[in-house]
Amino acid sequence: MAAYKRHDGEAAAWRSRDVGGKDGIAFDLGPRHVAALKDDLRRAVAKGIARDEIGRADFPLAPVADDIRRLRDTMVKGRGIVLIRGMPFENCSLDEIETMFWGLGTHFGNAVSQSVMGDRLGHVIDVTDVDPHARAYRARRELKLHTDLSDAIAFCSVRKAKAGGLSQFASALAVHDELLRSRPDLLAILYRGFRWHRFGEHGPSEEPVTPYRVPIFSERDGQVSCRYVRAYIREGAHALSVPLTAEEESALDAFDEVAARPDMHVEFLLEPGEVVFFNNLTVLHARTAFENAPGPDSKRLILRLWLAVPGGRPTAPEIQIYSTGPEGGVPQQAGRMPTFEQKALGY
């Protein structure tokens, strides 16, 4: 059996008792931070720079740069997750909120495309009333603990749901170590990985299913990373007509069961005006199902960034799902939408 790394004592291998709930990961903005955000927003708007073209130099947050740097270090090198509370969104238009969130995000990484639409600032909002096969982030159903397809992620709450929509976060490294302790026989399967379906967002030169195995856990330069979306794995097996073996299903079940344990994750509601940044290579995230208030302008709305993080965690190339690689996200394809009718069952 391979000798897998343990993460004893590492900040990123936390459990719920180590975090202390929502307050334990929160950083509350003070008057200096609020003033810096408002000043940089005002300057960026006055310059007329398109939001997606705003860089860190256009949104320097100079008076609070040291605080922002420490928060980024926590995301990249420490616990892997930080919640920022008190964003000054009062009396702001949605465009202004998006610009402020984007500007803050430039200090944590570089935004990449999240879908075939090429959206580098995504709207996590239910559109299943017009597209019943919309990708998961555009639906209101429950999402189990998983990762996305970037180095880091940021969520910004604009409107909460009428009911539900709680966020969950868990350390993938703590899940790894618990499996190493309790089911080491299954880790080899997770390190070997699975062929992933690309859910219809593959580029013209790509196959619908990855021609290589994507490891759930992988190690590069002594650092373990995680990439996990069970739906992509099961859809891939279905498309290839090669059912997962009983042992493979057991390994996936064990991963899900450990991650879902109350002692392994934290759960809270992301309130309007709150932003969470987290390392997508070490932190899993989920969302409970939700119900929207009536009216299109009352729907739950979360803004999302997928971030490439220069100088971040080294990763094995096999965890990249698309040929765009770690910097590129999902390849943009004109006229296409992130929608896919899933064929596989059981997730």
Side-chain angles (χ1 to χ4, degrees):
M1 184 178 296
Y4 298 113
K5 179 179 178 178
R6 295 192 62 88
H7 300 89
D8 299 324
E10 292 187 25
W14 51 266
R15 302 190 181 210
S16 56
R17 66 174 181 267
D18 305 316
V19 172
K22 186 176 184 180
D23 288 344
I25 64 171
F27 179 86
D28 292 302
L29 298 179
R32 293 186 308 114
H33 308 95
V34 168
L37 286 162
K38 287 184 174 180
D39 288 346
D40 282 3
L41 171 64
R42 188 163 46 248
R43 279 192 289 267
V45 171
K47 289 179 181 178
I49 308 172
R51 185 199 62 224
D52 286 17
E53 300 304 318
I54 292 173
R56 189 181 305 179
D58 305 303
F59 215 97
L61 298 175
V64 295
D66 288 346
D67 286 342
I68 301 300
R69 190 178 303 113
R70 283 191 288 270
L71 294 175
R72 183 185 188 276
D73 285 346
T74 296
M75 182 191 79
V76 177
K77 303 174 184 176
R79 184 177 54 224
I81 182 169
V82 61
L83 175 74
I84 298 175
R85 298 193 290 205
M87 293 289 287
F89 292 161
E90 300 83 2
N91 302 315
C92 287
S93 67
L94 181 57
D95 283 346
E96 291 170 331
I97 291 173
E98 291 177 340
T99 300
M100 196 184 304
F101 175 50
W102 177 281
L104 177 62
T106 63
H107 292 263
F108 290 80
N110 303 320
V112 300
S113 169
Q114 303 176 31
S115 77
V116 288
M117 296 187 299
D119 47 337
R120 293 199 292 150
L121 191 148
H123 282 200
V124 180
I125 191 168
D126 175 33
V127 298
T128 54
D129 52 344
V130 295
D131 182 2
H133 305 302
R135 219 173 83 192
Y137 77 102
R138 288 155 58 84
R140 61 179 183 272
R141 66 182 181 273
E142 177 188 18
L143 302 180
K144 302 290 189 180
L145 285 159
H146 65 285
T147 67
D148 285 358
L149 308 180
S150 58
D151 293 341
I153 300 172
F155 291 136
C156 171
S157 178
V158 178
R159 292 189 301 267
K160 60 184 179 181
K162 177 182 177 182
L166 276 70
S167 296
Q168 298 173 346
F169 300 94
S171 165
L173 302 185
V175 173
H176 174 281
D177 286 3
E178 179 61 17
L179 291 171
L180 180 57
R181 183 193 67 78
S182 62
R183 294 300 309 269
D185 56 309
L186 299 179
L187 268 183
I189 296 171
L190 301 179
Y191 270 89
R192 184 181 67 201
F194 303 84
R195 292 179 65 181
W196 282 37
H197 204 286
R198 290 171 166 142
F199 268 47
E201 295 191 275
H202 51 289
S205 63
E206 294 176 323
E207 301 174 24
V209 180
T210 60
Y212 49 87
R213 289 181 177 268
V214 179
I216 292 176
F217 289 118
S218 57
E219 185 172 345
R220 182 77 177 266
D221 298 343
Q223 297 192 60
V224 174
S225 296
C226 180
R227 180 130 299 166
Y228 180 63
V229 188
R230 189 163 183 170
Y232 285 55
I233 295 168
R234 301 203 70 166
E235 197 69 33
H238 177 85
L240 295 169
S241 298
V242 181
L244 299 177
T245 66
E247 192 176 35
E248 288 173 329
E249 292 281 14
S250 293
L252 297 174
D253 286 344
F255 183 103
D256 288 342
E257 289 164 8
V258 169
R261 281 175 14 193
D263 64 310
M264 298 298 290
H265 69 265
V266 294
E267 179 180 88
F268 55 83
L269 184 66
L270 195 64
E271 297 281 357
E274 295 180 344
V275 175
V276 61
F277 287 91
F278 58 98
N279 191 326
N280 187 52
L281 300 169
T282 65
V283 176
L284 305 163
H285 66 285
R287 182 200 68 211
T288 65
F290 63 88
E291 177 186 353
N292 280 313
D297 294 331
S298 299
K299 286 184 174 182
R300 177 183 186 267
L301 175 59
I302 304 289
L303 306 180
R304 183 177 72 175
L305 294 172
W306 277 7
L307 299 170
V309 180
R313 201 172 190 85
T315 57
E318 292 80 15
I319 74 167
Q320 304 306 332
I321 312 304
Y322 300 99
S323 59
T324 47
E327 298 298 319
V330 180
Q332 181 177 3
Q333 299 178 66
R336 294 182 61 186
M337 298 294 290
T339 182
F340 182 75
E341 184 177 359
Q342 300 176 34
K343 307 295 193 304
L345 301 175
Y347 52 86

mmCIF file of all heavy atoms in Angstrom, residues 14-18 178 258 260-265:
data_model
loop_
_atom_site.group_PDB
_atom_site.id
_atom_site.type_symbol
_atom_site.label_atom_id
_atom_site.label_comp_id
_atom_site.label_asym_id
_atom_site.label_seq_id
_atom_site.Cartn_x
_atom_site.Cartn_y
_atom_site.Cartn_z
ATOM 1 N N TRP A 14 -8.520 21.085 8.877
ATOM 2 C CA TRP A 14 -9.342 21.409 10.032
ATOM 3 C C TRP A 14 -10.628 20.584 10.059
ATOM 4 O O TRP A 14 -11.072 20.055 9.053
ATOM 5 C CB TRP A 14 -9.701 22.899 10.026
ATOM 6 C CG TRP A 14 -10.286 23.419 8.742
ATOM 7 C CD1 TRP A 14 -9.595 24.015 7.710
ATOM 8 C CD2 TRP A 14 -11.663 23.380 8.332
ATOM 9 N NE1 TRP A 14 -10.460 24.349 6.692
ATOM 10 C CE2 TRP A 14 -11.736 23.975 7.039
ATOM 11 C CE3 TRP A 14 -12.838 22.915 8.917
ATOM 12 C CZ2 TRP A 14 -12.935 24.112 6.343
ATOM 13 C CZ3 TRP A 14 -14.039 23.037 8.223
ATOM 14 C CH2 TRP A 14 -14.080 23.632 6.950
ATOM 15 N N ARG A 15 -11.184 20.517 11.250
ATOM 16 C CA ARG A 15 -12.515 19.947 11.460
ATOM 17 C C ARG A 15 -13.389 21.036 12.066
ATOM 18 O O ARG A 15 -12.902 22.097 12.427
ATOM 19 C CB ARG A 15 -12.444 18.710 12.353
ATOM 20 C CG ARG A 15 -11.536 17.632 11.756
ATOM 21 C CD ARG A 15 -11.632 16.334 12.489
ATOM 22 N NE ARG A 15 -10.727 15.348 11.911
ATOM 23 C CZ ARG A 15 -10.947 14.040 11.908
ATOM 24 N NH1 ARG A 15 -12.058 13.559 12.456
ATOM 25 N NH2 ARG A 15 -10.082 13.211 11.367
ATOM 26 N N SER A 16 -14.670 20.755 12.185
ATOM 27 C CA SER A 16 -15.591 21.807 12.621
ATOM 28 C C SER A 16 -15.203 22.372 13.979
ATOM 29 O O SER A 16 -15.317 23.581 14.206
ATOM 30 C CB SER A 16 -17.031 21.275 12.645
ATOM 31 O OG SER A 16 -17.144 20.131 13.456
ATOM 32 N N ARG A 17 -14.719 21.547 14.888
ATOM 33 C CA ARG A 17 -14.348 22.039 16.218
ATOM 34 C C ARG A 17 -13.157 22.998 16.162
ATOM 35 O O ARG A 17 -13.002 23.843 17.035
ATOM 36 C CB ARG A 17 -14.027 20.871 17.141
ATOM 37 C CG ARG A 17 -12.790 20.071 16.738
ATOM 38 C CD ARG A 17 -12.404 19.010 17.759
ATOM 39 N NE ARG A 17 -11.217 18.293 17.363
ATOM 40 C CZ ARG A 17 -11.207 17.160 16.670
ATOM 41 N NH1 ARG A 17 -12.361 16.620 16.294
ATOM 42 N NH2 ARG A 17 -10.076 16.567 16.349
ATOM 43 N N ASP A 18 -12.321 22.865 15.143
ATOM 44 C CA ASP A 18 -11.141 23.721 15.013
ATOM 45 C C ASP A 18 -11.496 25.096 14.477
ATOM 46 O O ASP A 18 -10.784 26.074 14.733
ATOM 47 C CB ASP A 18 -10.115 23.077 14.071
ATOM 48 C CG ASP A 18 -9.721 21.681 14.499
ATOM 49 O OD1 ASP A 18 -9.479 21.481 15.706
ATOM 50 O OD2 ASP A 18 -9.661 20.792 13.628
ATOM 51 N N GLU A 178 -8.941 11.294 7.512
ATOM 52 C CA GLU A 178 -9.896 10.398 8.158
ATOM 53 C C GLU A 178 -10.031 9.095 7.367
ATOM 54 O O GLU A 178 -10.102 8.008 7.959
ATOM 55 C CB GLU A 178 -11.258 11.082 8.296
ATOM 56 C CG GLU A 178 -12.331 10.218 8.926
ATOM 57 C CD GLU A 178 -12.024 9.774 10.338
ATOM 58 O OE1 GLU A 178 -11.137 10.367 10.996
ATOM 59 O OE2 GLU A 178 -12.676 8.807 10.797
ATOM 60 N N VAL A 258 -17.881 10.630 4.990
ATOM 61 C CA VAL A 258 -16.973 11.316 5.912
ATOM 62 C C VAL A 258 -17.149 12.823 5.805
ATOM 63 O O VAL A 258 -17.265 13.524 6.814
ATOM 64 C CB VAL A 258 -15.513 10.907 5.633
ATOM 65 C CG1 VAL A 258 -14.546 11.812 6.407
ATOM 66 C CG2 VAL A 258 -15.276 9.454 6.017
ATOM 67 N N ALA A 260 -19.673 14.537 4.955
ATOM 68 C CA ALA A 260 -20.985 15.001 5.422
ATOM 69 C C ALA A 260 -21.153 14.902 6.937
ATOM 70 O O ALA A 260 -22.153 15.399 7.466
ATOM 71 C CB ALA A 260 -22.086 14.207 4.731
ATOM 72 N N ARG A 261 -20.215 14.295 7.633
ATOM 73 C CA ARG A 261 -20.354 14.166 9.075
ATOM 74 C C ARG A 261 -20.342 15.537 9.748
ATOM 75 O O ARG A 261 -19.565 16.419 9.353
ATOM 76 C CB ARG A 261 -19.218 13.313 9.641
ATOM 77 C CG ARG A 261 -19.411 11.840 9.451
ATOM 78 C CD ARG A 261 -18.265 10.968 9.881
ATOM 79 N NE ARG A 261 -17.239 11.590 10.700
ATOM 80 C CZ ARG A 261 -16.051 11.031 10.953
ATOM 81 N NH1 ARG A 261 -15.760 9.833 10.426
ATOM 82 N NH2 ARG A 261 -15.162 11.634 11.700
ATOM 83 N N PRO A 262 -21.176 15.757 10.755
ATOM 84 C CA PRO A 262 -21.227 17.068 11.421
ATOM 85 C C PRO A 262 -19.896 17.521 11.991
ATOM 86 O O PRO A 262 -19.637 18.731 12.060
ATOM 87 C CB PRO A 262 -22.272 16.860 12.526
ATOM 88 C CG PRO A 262 -23.134 15.746 12.021
ATOM 89 C CD PRO A 262 -22.214 14.835 11.255
ATOM 90 N N ASP A 263 -19.046 16.585 12.397
ATOM 91 C CA ASP A 263 -17.763 16.970 12.980
ATOM 92 C C ASP A 263 -16.737 17.360 11.930
ATOM 93 O O ASP A 263 -15.647 17.831 12.267
ATOM 94 C CB ASP A 263 -17.201 15.841 13.840
ATOM 95 C CG ASP A 263 -16.877 14.590 13.030
ATOM 96 O OD1 ASP A 263 -17.756 14.143 12.253
ATOM 97 O OD2 ASP A 263 -15.764 14.062 13.149
ATOM 98 N N MET A 264 -17.108 17.211 10.632
ATOM 99 C CA MET A 264 -16.151 17.482 9.566
ATOM 100 C C MET A 264 -16.428 18.780 8.819
ATOM 101 O O MET A 264 -15.548 19.268 8.099
ATOM 102 C CB MET A 264 -16.156 16.329 8.554
ATOM 103 C CG MET A 264 -15.739 14.985 9.129
ATOM 104 S SD MET A 264 -14.044 14.932 9.760
ATOM 105 C CE MET A 264 -13.121 15.043 8.223
ATOM 106 N N HIS A 265 -17.631 19.358 8.950
ATOM 107 C CA HIS A 265 -17.918 20.547 8.146
ATOM 108 C C HIS A 265 -18.624 21.612 8.979
ATOM 109 O O HIS A 265 -19.151 21.336 10.059
ATOM 110 C CB HIS A 265 -18.768 20.187 6.923
ATOM 111 C CG HIS A 265 -20.171 19.780 7.233
ATOM 112 N ND1 HIS A 265 -20.568 18.475 7.382
ATOM 113 C CD2 HIS A 265 -21.294 20.518 7.425
ATOM 114 C CE1 HIS A 265 -21.851 18.414 7.648
ATOM 115 N NE2 HIS A 265 -22.333 19.646 7.680
#
